Amino acid sequence: MESARPITGAEYDVVVIGAGFSGLYALYRLRDLNAKVVCFEAGDGVGGTWYWNRYPGARVDIESMQYSYSFDEDLQQEWRWPEHYSPQPDLEAYANHVADRFDLRERIEFSARVNRLRFDEAANRWHVRTDRGDQVVAKYVIAAAGSLNAENIPQFPGLDSFQGQWYHTANWPREEVDFTGKRVGLIGTGSTGIQIAPVVAETAGHLHVFQRTPNFSLPSKNRPLEPEYEREWKANYTERRAAISQDPGAVYWANPADRRSIFEFTPQEREQILNEAWASKGGFEFVRCFRETMVNPEANEIVAEFVRNKIRQTVKDQAVAELLCPKTYPFGTKRLCLDSGYYETFNRENVTLVDVRSDPITEVTPTGLKTTATAYDLDIIIFATGFDAMTGAMTRMNVTGVGGMDLRDKWANGPTSYLGYFVAGFPNLFMIHGPGSPSVLAQMITSGEWQVDWVVKFVEHMEENGYGRVDTTSEWEENWSAEVNMVADYTLYKKADSWYLGANIPGKPRVFMVYVGGFDRYIQRCNEQVEAGYEGFVLS
Ligand code: N01
């Protein structure tokens, strides 16, 4: 698509970065302020995560009846989701529908990636540039650029020499990639690898799955949405959306959480409860069988071993099954995956699991890739190797704040923020789903809506009271970091080398970046600080 002419010299009230679900909602809400707004979007369409991650098998892991906007009653009543867990094309279609229905497109500049953000202290204005040549000035910036946006491509020597095709799943082409008869190598077994493997295996000549760390995956039990189920949701949206805002994961659960302790039951009873949940519930409901799964190592191990046994029962070759069993970190401390037939894929003749923990990948060659022990001939390499999560979208934008401070320097020892929104020394810059926010541990459309509402109210407060600038202080960042760490320490989350800790990126400081205190608690904390007279904010 030919890009429009760059905008130069224009002044805006607000620049929104990213036309994903939060960015779109920000554009919608900012209308109430009558503000002059522009949104820069790197892609040539809306949808953010659901625009970029168009790999085969990409699908949401929260049911679509709730992984959807709540702000407009007509929208939520009229929109029809064909399946419980929507595939990427349906989510992208929904984002497009919302952009059109609410006339949001006119304020979006597509194919314009923000690559420079500079704060002018004297004028309290952000100077924003894009790779398309835009140069504009704005009082406020709302960065809705995504927690999982900056792809991680491991720097294997020789990648440039590869004569086949290679793709990162988060930058998948629109054109269909034909795997028929091809020798395919898939690197990575996180949520993405687990979704793409079964689909590729259907047509590939041979699929090698290069696994460094196995993941726990639960059956999604995805199916077409039953009309009765849809009717029930639509009749009860008000109550259910209200329940979502009271839930730590911003999720509506069909069954109330079981507050019973796992230790009240005999091993046989536990097995029965877990089996019933596994067989009937689908999705993350399984995690809620017992109250202490995510905080007590012994309880966690019982659940972990139950899931390992499911893997052993599903995968016929027991040596392969053992390799697929996660044993080095507690259940759920790396993001849990939902799958549609992942483990069954390893029963296919045309699929081989390669353990690159014991035999690491050393280089890409013109004809495939090499591990320390073996050379693999491949036509296609798929990198399902994840993201420079939580911080990558921001640090890749060349952001400089007060005194020319570079955000990368500011975050050299790990990201800091106040409430996940603000970084001291970077005034008038609001992050949505930033480090220190609940991010992926709360259902992201709802938590994004809530964060955007909070930011818009904040901006309203500033405008009504004639403020030109809002900043926070290092002290308040430290307080918030301490709170983020305190709640994480109460759980088992820090025991895994996960992207929550930056452990997937070589050299990234090991700092827990997600607020695991719960979306409900997060709402409370953000509101408390405002009600306490905007405590922690420096308004001038
Ligand atoms: O990325 P990941 P993802 N050599 O970082 C491996 C969301 N999401 O794209 O674990 C070999 O989880 C790496 O190995 P290890 C969801 O929040 C949601 O899968 O670091 N392997 C790992 O196996 C999720 O958590 C949905 O040892 C290398 C994999 O690559 C987040 O996105 C769907 C390697 C990366 O896994 C990220 O998921 C998809 C190397 N050098 C994603 N470097 C749904 O809603 C990395 N790996 C369903």
PDB file of all heavy atoms in Angstrom, residues 231-258:
ATOM      1  N   ARG A 231     -26.361 -16.304  23.504  1.00  0.00           N
ATOM      2  CA  ARG A 231     -27.547 -15.605  24.043  1.00  0.00           C
ATOM      3  C   ARG A 231     -27.370 -15.316  25.530  1.00  0.00           C
ATOM      4  O   ARG A 231     -27.665 -14.228  26.015  1.00  0.00           O
ATOM      5  CB  ARG A 231     -28.806 -16.472  23.841  1.00  0.00           C
ATOM      6  CG  ARG A 231     -29.567 -16.131  22.554  1.00  0.00           C
ATOM      7  CD  ARG A 231     -30.976 -16.685  22.589  1.00  0.00           C
ATOM      8  NE  ARG A 231     -31.024 -18.133  22.689  1.00  0.00           N
ATOM      9  CZ  ARG A 231     -30.883 -18.969  21.656  1.00  0.00           C
ATOM     10  NH1 ARG A 231     -30.698 -18.484  20.431  1.00  0.00           N
ATOM     11  NH2 ARG A 231     -30.937 -20.273  21.833  1.00  0.00           N
ATOM     12  N   GLU A 232     -26.845 -16.331  26.230  1.00  0.00           N
ATOM     13  CA  GLU A 232     -26.682 -16.185  27.677  1.00  0.00           C
ATOM     14  C   GLU A 232     -25.693 -15.052  27.997  1.00  0.00           C
ATOM     15  O   GLU A 232     -25.925 -14.232  28.880  1.00  0.00           O
ATOM     16  CB  GLU A 232     -26.175 -17.522  28.214  1.00  0.00           C
ATOM     17  CG  GLU A 232     -26.309 -17.680  29.698  1.00  0.00           C
ATOM     18  CD  GLU A 232     -25.420 -18.805  30.196  1.00  0.00           C
ATOM     19  OE1 GLU A 232     -25.034 -19.694  29.406  1.00  0.00           O
ATOM     20  OE2 GLU A 232     -25.100 -18.756  31.398  1.00  0.00           O
ATOM     21  N   TRP A 233     -24.601 -15.032  27.241  1.00  0.00           N
ATOM     22  CA  TRP A 233     -23.623 -13.953  27.465  1.00  0.00           C
ATOM     23  C   TRP A 233     -24.257 -12.589  27.188  1.00  0.00           C
ATOM     24  O   TRP A 233     -24.107 -11.653  27.974  1.00  0.00           O
ATOM     25  CB  TRP A 233     -22.399 -14.149  26.553  1.00  0.00           C
ATOM     26  CG  TRP A 233     -21.254 -14.738  27.312  1.00  0.00           C
ATOM     27  CD1 TRP A 233     -20.942 -16.059  27.411  1.00  0.00           C
ATOM     28  CD2 TRP A 233     -20.296 -14.039  28.111  1.00  0.00           C
ATOM     29  NE1 TRP A 233     -19.844 -16.220  28.214  1.00  0.00           N
ATOM     30  CE2 TRP A 233     -19.425 -14.992  28.648  1.00  0.00           C
ATOM     31  CE3 TRP A 233     -20.080 -12.692  28.409  1.00  0.00           C
ATOM     32  CZ2 TRP A 233     -18.366 -14.648  29.490  1.00  0.00           C
ATOM     33  CZ3 TRP A 233     -19.023 -12.341  29.232  1.00  0.00           C
ATOM     34  CH2 TRP A 233     -18.182 -13.321  29.768  1.00  0.00           C
ATOM     35  N   LYS A 234     -24.955 -12.495  26.071  1.00  0.00           N
ATOM     36  CA  LYS A 234     -25.487 -11.188  25.661  1.00  0.00           C
ATOM     37  C   LYS A 234     -26.574 -10.708  26.620  1.00  0.00           C
ATOM     38  O   LYS A 234     -26.717  -9.512  26.840  1.00  0.00           O
ATOM     39  CB  LYS A 234     -25.967 -11.250  24.206  1.00  0.00           C
ATOM     40  CG  LYS A 234     -24.771 -11.355  23.257  1.00  0.00           C
ATOM     41  CD  LYS A 234     -25.114 -11.259  21.801  1.00  0.00           C
ATOM     42  CE  LYS A 234     -23.816 -11.177  20.984  1.00  0.00           C
ATOM     43  NZ  LYS A 234     -24.046 -11.213  19.548  1.00  0.00           N
ATOM     44  N   ALA A 235     -27.291 -11.660  27.195  1.00  0.00           N
ATOM     45  CA  ALA A 235     -28.331 -11.267  28.159  1.00  0.00           C
ATOM     46  C   ALA A 235     -27.718 -10.811  29.480  1.00  0.00           C
ATOM     47  O   ALA A 235     -28.359 -10.106  30.258  1.00  0.00           O
ATOM     48  CB  ALA A 235     -29.272 -12.443  28.396  1.00  0.00           C
ATOM     49  N   ASN A 236     -26.481 -11.229  29.732  1.00  0.00           N
ATOM     50  CA  ASN A 236     -25.874 -10.951  31.051  1.00  0.00           C
ATOM     51  C   ASN A 236     -24.602 -10.110  30.974  1.00  0.00           C
ATOM     52  O   ASN A 236     -23.799 -10.114  31.901  1.00  0.00           O
ATOM     53  CB  ASN A 236     -25.545 -12.284  31.744  1.00  0.00           C
ATOM     54  CG  ASN A 236     -26.810 -13.035  32.097  1.00  0.00           C
ATOM     55  OD1 ASN A 236     -27.568 -12.616  32.954  1.00  0.00           O
ATOM     56  ND2 ASN A 236     -27.067 -14.136  31.384  1.00  0.00           N
ATOM     57  N   TYR A 237     -24.440  -9.417  29.859  1.00  0.00           N
ATOM     58  CA  TYR A 237     -23.185  -8.681  29.690  1.00  0.00           C
ATOM     59  C   TYR A 237     -22.922  -7.695  30.842  1.00  0.00           C
ATOM     60  O   TYR A 237     -21.810  -7.589  31.341  1.00  0.00           O
ATOM     61  CB  TYR A 237     -23.145  -7.944  28.354  1.00  0.00           C
ATOM     62  CG  TYR A 237     -22.221  -8.598  27.337  1.00  0.00           C
ATOM     63  CD1 TYR A 237     -22.603  -8.828  26.024  1.00  0.00           C
ATOM     64  CD2 TYR A 237     -20.933  -8.978  27.697  1.00  0.00           C
ATOM     65  CE1 TYR A 237     -21.756  -9.428  25.099  1.00  0.00           C
ATOM     66  CE2 TYR A 237     -20.068  -9.580  26.780  1.00  0.00           C
ATOM     67  CZ  TYR A 237     -20.488  -9.796  25.489  1.00  0.00           C
ATOM     68  OH  TYR A 237     -19.631 -10.393  24.594  1.00  0.00           O
ATOM     69  N   THR A 238     -23.950  -6.989  31.261  1.00  0.00           N
ATOM     70  CA  THR A 238     -23.709  -5.950  32.276  1.00  0.00           C
ATOM     71  C   THR A 238     -23.104  -6.559  33.536  1.00  0.00           C
ATOM     72  O   THR A 238     -22.068  -6.094  34.030  1.00  0.00           O
ATOM     73  CB  THR A 238     -25.022  -5.217  32.611  1.00  0.00           C
ATOM     74  OG1 THR A 238     -25.602  -4.797  31.382  1.00  0.00           O
ATOM     75  CG2 THR A 238     -24.791  -4.022  33.516  1.00  0.00           C
ATOM     76  N   GLU A 239     -23.739  -7.621  34.033  1.00  0.00           N
ATOM     77  CA  GLU A 239     -23.255  -8.249  35.273  1.00  0.00           C
ATOM     78  C   GLU A 239     -21.877  -8.866  35.043  1.00  0.00           C
ATOM     79  O   GLU A 239     -20.997  -8.786  35.900  1.00  0.00           O
ATOM     80  CB  GLU A 239     -24.198  -9.360  35.747  1.00  0.00           C
ATOM     81  CG  GLU A 239     -25.612  -8.930  36.086  1.00  0.00           C
ATOM     82  CD  GLU A 239     -26.465  -8.650  34.844  1.00  0.00           C
ATOM     83  OE1 GLU A 239     -26.213  -9.275  33.794  1.00  0.00           O
ATOM     84  OE2 GLU A 239     -27.359  -7.787  34.917  1.00  0.00           O
ATOM     85  N   ARG A 240     -21.716  -9.508  33.898  1.00  0.00           N
ATOM     86  CA  ARG A 240     -20.445 -10.212  33.674  1.00  0.00           C
ATOM     87  C   ARG A 240     -19.276  -9.235  33.487  1.00  0.00           C
ATOM     88  O   ARG A 240     -18.176  -9.477  33.979  1.00  0.00           O
ATOM     89  CB  ARG A 240     -20.575 -11.161  32.484  1.00  0.00           C
ATOM     90  CG  ARG A 240     -21.503 -12.304  32.838  1.00  0.00           C
ATOM     91  CD  ARG A 240     -21.610 -13.350  31.768  1.00  0.00           C
ATOM     92  NE  ARG A 240     -22.554 -14.366  32.217  1.00  0.00           N
ATOM     93  CZ  ARG A 240     -22.786 -15.493  31.601  1.00  0.00           C
ATOM     94  NH1 ARG A 240     -22.137 -15.790  30.488  1.00  0.00           N
ATOM     95  NH2 ARG A 240     -23.653 -16.361  32.070  1.00  0.00           N
ATOM     96  N   ARG A 241     -19.526  -8.152  32.783  1.00  0.00           N
ATOM     97  CA  ARG A 241     -18.446  -7.156  32.642  1.00  0.00           C
ATOM     98  C   ARG A 241     -18.113  -6.572  34.021  1.00  0.00           C
ATOM     99  O   ARG A 241     -16.950  -6.287  34.310  1.00  0.00           O
ATOM    100  CB  ARG A 241     -18.858  -6.033  31.691  1.00  0.00           C
ATOM    101  CG  ARG A 241     -19.091  -6.465  30.240  1.00  0.00           C
ATOM    102  CD  ARG A 241     -17.817  -6.731  29.489  1.00  0.00           C
ATOM    103  NE  ARG A 241     -18.038  -6.889  28.057  1.00  0.00           N
ATOM    104  CZ  ARG A 241     -17.187  -7.436  27.220  1.00  0.00           C
ATOM    105  NH1 ARG A 241     -16.019  -7.911  27.646  1.00  0.00           N
ATOM    106  NH2 ARG A 241     -17.442  -7.549  25.944  1.00  0.00           N
ATOM    107  N   ALA A 242     -19.125  -6.405  34.847  1.00  0.00           N
ATOM    108  CA  ALA A 242     -18.859  -5.873  36.202  1.00  0.00           C
ATOM    109  C   ALA A 242     -18.028  -6.885  36.993  1.00  0.00           C
ATOM    110  O   ALA A 242     -17.079  -6.510  37.700  1.00  0.00           O
ATOM    111  CB  ALA A 242     -20.170  -5.583  36.919  1.00  0.00           C
ATOM    112  N   ALA A 243     -18.349  -8.166  36.843  1.00  0.00           N
ATOM    113  CA  ALA A 243     -17.583  -9.201  37.546  1.00  0.00           C
ATOM    114  C   ALA A 243     -16.131  -9.218  37.060  1.00  0.00           C
ATOM    115  O   ALA A 243     -15.193  -9.430  37.844  1.00  0.00           O
ATOM    116  CB  ALA A 243     -18.230 -10.568  37.332  1.00  0.00           C
ATOM    117  N   ILE A 244     -15.941  -8.968  35.794  1.00  0.00           N
ATOM    118  CA  ILE A 244     -14.591  -8.959  35.209  1.00  0.00           C
ATOM    119  C   ILE A 244     -13.720  -7.898  35.889  1.00  0.00           C
ATOM    120  O   ILE A 244     -12.551  -8.127  36.190  1.00  0.00           O
ATOM    121  CB  ILE A 244     -14.695  -8.727  33.674  1.00  0.00           C
ATOM    122  CG1 ILE A 244     -15.159 -10.021  32.993  1.00  0.00           C
ATOM    123  CG2 ILE A 244     -13.388  -8.233  33.080  1.00  0.00           C
ATOM    124  CD1 ILE A 244     -15.544  -9.884  31.531  1.00  0.00           C
ATOM    125  N   SER A 245     -14.322  -6.747  36.182  1.00  0.00           N
ATOM    126  CA  SER A 245     -13.516  -5.680  36.793  1.00  0.00           C
ATOM    127  C   SER A 245     -13.185  -5.975  38.256  1.00  0.00           C
ATOM    128  O   SER A 245     -12.372  -5.280  38.860  1.00  0.00           O
ATOM    129  CB  SER A 245     -14.201  -4.323  36.644  1.00  0.00           C
ATOM    130  OG  SER A 245     -15.391  -4.335  37.388  1.00  0.00           O
ATOM    131  N   GLN A 246     -13.802  -7.007  38.802  1.00  0.00           N
ATOM    132  CA  GLN A 246     -13.500  -7.402  40.190  1.00  0.00           C
ATOM    133  C   GLN A 246     -12.560  -8.611  40.234  1.00  0.00           C
ATOM    134  O   GLN A 246     -12.268  -9.137  41.300  1.00  0.00           O
ATOM    135  CB  GLN A 246     -14.774  -7.860  40.916  1.00  0.00           C
ATOM    136  CG  GLN A 246     -15.949  -6.921  40.821  1.00  0.00           C
ATOM    137  CD  GLN A 246     -15.873  -5.839  41.851  1.00  0.00           C
ATOM    138  OE1 GLN A 246     -15.670  -6.131  43.005  1.00  0.00           O
ATOM    139  NE2 GLN A 246     -16.002  -4.606  41.429  1.00  0.00           N
ATOM    140  N   ASP A 247     -12.156  -9.074  39.047  1.00  0.00           N
ATOM    141  CA  ASP A 247     -11.390 -10.322  39.003  1.00  0.00           C
ATOM    142  C   ASP A 247      -9.902 -10.038  38.800  1.00  0.00           C
ATOM    143  O   ASP A 247      -9.545  -9.179  37.989  1.00  0.00           O
ATOM    144  CB  ASP A 247     -11.901 -11.186  37.839  1.00  0.00           C
ATOM    145  CG  ASP A 247     -11.151 -12.500  37.764  1.00  0.00           C
ATOM    146  OD1 ASP A 247     -11.408 -13.374  38.619  1.00  0.00           O
ATOM    147  OD2 ASP A 247     -10.270 -12.641  36.882  1.00  0.00           O
ATOM    148  N   PRO A 248      -9.033 -10.773  39.504  1.00  0.00           N
ATOM    149  CA  PRO A 248      -7.592 -10.528  39.358  1.00  0.00           C
ATOM    150  C   PRO A 248      -7.090 -10.660  37.915  1.00  0.00           C
ATOM    151  O   PRO A 248      -6.176  -9.944  37.511  1.00  0.00           O
ATOM    152  CB  PRO A 248      -6.952 -11.613  40.242  1.00  0.00           C
ATOM    153  CG  PRO A 248      -8.012 -11.992  41.229  1.00  0.00           C
ATOM    154  CD  PRO A 248      -9.331 -11.772  40.546  1.00  0.00           C
ATOM    155  N   GLY A 249      -7.687 -11.557  37.149  1.00  0.00           N
ATOM    156  CA  GLY A 249      -7.228 -11.734  35.764  1.00  0.00           C
ATOM    157  C   GLY A 249      -8.115 -11.011  34.766  1.00  0.00           C
ATOM    158  O   GLY A 249      -7.962 -11.206  33.560  1.00  0.00           O
ATOM    159  N   ALA A 250      -9.032 -10.184  35.247  1.00  0.00           N
ATOM    160  CA  ALA A 250      -9.996  -9.484  34.385  1.00  0.00           C
ATOM    161  C   ALA A 250     -10.746 -10.478  33.500  1.00  0.00           C
ATOM    162  O   ALA A 250     -10.912 -10.276  32.291  1.00  0.00           O
ATOM    163  CB  ALA A 250      -9.306  -8.407  33.542  1.00  0.00           C
ATOM    164  N   VAL A 251     -11.173 -11.548  34.144  1.00  0.00           N
ATOM    165  CA  VAL A 251     -11.833 -12.620  33.406  1.00  0.00           C
ATOM    166  C   VAL A 251     -13.133 -12.967  34.119  1.00  0.00           C
ATOM    167  O   VAL A 251     -13.208 -12.903  35.354  1.00  0.00           O
ATOM    168  CB  VAL A 251     -10.907 -13.868  33.356  1.00  0.00           C
ATOM    169  CG1 VAL A 251     -11.644 -15.108  32.867  1.00  0.00           C
ATOM    170  CG2 VAL A 251      -9.705 -13.597  32.455  1.00  0.00           C
ATOM    171  N   TYR A 252     -14.146 -13.325  33.338  1.00  0.00           N
ATOM    172  CA  TYR A 252     -15.369 -13.859  33.930  1.00  0.00           C
ATOM    173  C   TYR A 252     -15.252 -15.381  33.924  1.00  0.00           C
ATOM    174  O   TYR A 252     -14.978 -15.990  32.877  1.00  0.00           O
ATOM    175  CB  TYR A 252     -16.604 -13.427  33.118  1.00  0.00           C
ATOM    176  CG  TYR A 252     -17.857 -14.098  33.612  1.00  0.00           C
ATOM    177  CD1 TYR A 252     -18.496 -13.636  34.763  1.00  0.00           C
ATOM    178  CD2 TYR A 252     -18.365 -15.225  32.964  1.00  0.00           C
ATOM    179  CE1 TYR A 252     -19.625 -14.280  35.247  1.00  0.00           C
ATOM    180  CE2 TYR A 252     -19.502 -15.854  33.444  1.00  0.00           C
ATOM    181  CZ  TYR A 252     -20.121 -15.381  34.586  1.00  0.00           C
ATOM    182  OH  TYR A 252     -21.225 -16.020  35.074  1.00  0.00           O
ATOM    183  N   TRP A 253     -15.438 -15.981  35.093  1.00  0.00           N
ATOM    184  CA  TRP A 253     -15.315 -17.439  35.207  1.00  0.00           C
ATOM    185  C   TRP A 253     -16.704 -18.062  35.321  1.00  0.00           C
ATOM    186  O   TRP A 253     -17.547 -17.582  36.086  1.00  0.00           O
ATOM    187  CB  TRP A 253     -14.502 -17.815  36.449  1.00  0.00           C
ATOM    188  CG  TRP A 253     -13.132 -17.211  36.441  1.00  0.00           C
ATOM    189  CD1 TRP A 253     -12.738 -16.068  37.074  1.00  0.00           C
ATOM    190  CD2 TRP A 253     -11.986 -17.688  35.731  1.00  0.00           C
ATOM    191  NE1 TRP A 253     -11.419 -15.810  36.813  1.00  0.00           N
ATOM    192  CE2 TRP A 253     -10.922 -16.790  35.982  1.00  0.00           C
ATOM    193  CE3 TRP A 253     -11.738 -18.785  34.890  1.00  0.00           C
ATOM    194  CZ2 TRP A 253      -9.657 -16.962  35.445  1.00  0.00           C
ATOM    195  CZ3 TRP A 253     -10.469 -18.951  34.363  1.00  0.00           C
ATOM    196  CH2 TRP A 253      -9.445 -18.043  34.634  1.00  0.00           C
ATOM    197  N   ALA A 254     -16.896 -19.132  34.547  1.00  0.00           N
ATOM    198  CA  ALA A 254     -18.204 -19.798  34.576  1.00  0.00           C
ATOM    199  C   ALA A 254     -18.451 -20.403  35.956  1.00  0.00           C
ATOM    200  O   ALA A 254     -19.568 -20.395  36.465  1.00  0.00           O
ATOM    201  CB  ALA A 254     -18.248 -20.885  33.518  1.00  0.00           C
ATOM    202  N   ASN A 255     -17.376 -20.903  36.556  1.00  0.00           N
ATOM    203  CA  ASN A 255     -17.513 -21.513  37.877  1.00  0.00           C
ATOM    204  C   ASN A 255     -16.750 -20.676  38.878  1.00  0.00           C
ATOM    205  O   ASN A 255     -15.622 -20.278  38.598  1.00  0.00           O
ATOM    206  CB  ASN A 255     -16.908 -22.922  37.869  1.00  0.00           C
ATOM    207  CG  ASN A 255     -17.523 -23.757  36.780  1.00  0.00           C
ATOM    208  OD1 ASN A 255     -18.715 -24.028  36.799  1.00  0.00           O
ATOM    209  ND2 ASN A 255     -16.711 -24.129  35.788  1.00  0.00           N
ATOM    210  N   PRO A 256     -17.342 -20.443  40.037  1.00  0.00           N
ATOM    211  CA  PRO A 256     -16.601 -19.667  41.033  1.00  0.00           C
ATOM    212  C   PRO A 256     -15.311 -20.400  41.398  1.00  0.00           C
ATOM    213  O   PRO A 256     -15.272 -21.629  41.363  1.00  0.00           O
ATOM    214  CB  PRO A 256     -17.550 -19.614  42.225  1.00  0.00           C
ATOM    215  CG  PRO A 256     -18.704 -20.482  41.911  1.00  0.00           C
ATOM    216  CD  PRO A 256     -18.633 -20.929  40.494  1.00  0.00           C
ATOM    217  N   ALA A 257     -14.270 -19.648  41.716  1.00  0.00           N
ATOM    218  CA  ALA A 257     -12.985 -20.277  42.051  1.00  0.00           C
ATOM    219  C   ALA A 257     -13.181 -21.226  43.218  1.00  0.00           C
ATOM    220  O   ALA A 257     -13.916 -20.918  44.152  1.00  0.00           O
ATOM    221  CB  ALA A 257     -11.974 -19.214  42.420  1.00  0.00           C
ATOM    222  N   ASP A 258     -12.524 -22.346  43.140  1.00  0.00           N
ATOM    223  CA  ASP A 258     -12.612 -23.296  44.229  1.00  0.00           C
ATOM    224  C   ASP A 258     -11.642 -22.839  45.301  1.00  0.00           C
ATOM    225  O   ASP A 258     -10.439 -22.798  45.089  1.00  0.00           O
ATOM    226  CB  ASP A 258     -12.235 -24.685  43.709  1.00  0.00           C
ATOM    227  CG  ASP A 258     -12.990 -25.735  44.468  1.00  0.00           C
ATOM    228  OD1 ASP A 258     -13.177 -25.520  45.674  1.00  0.00           O
ATOM    229  OD2 ASP A 258     -13.401 -26.724  43.861  1.00  0.00           O
TER     230      ASP A 258
END
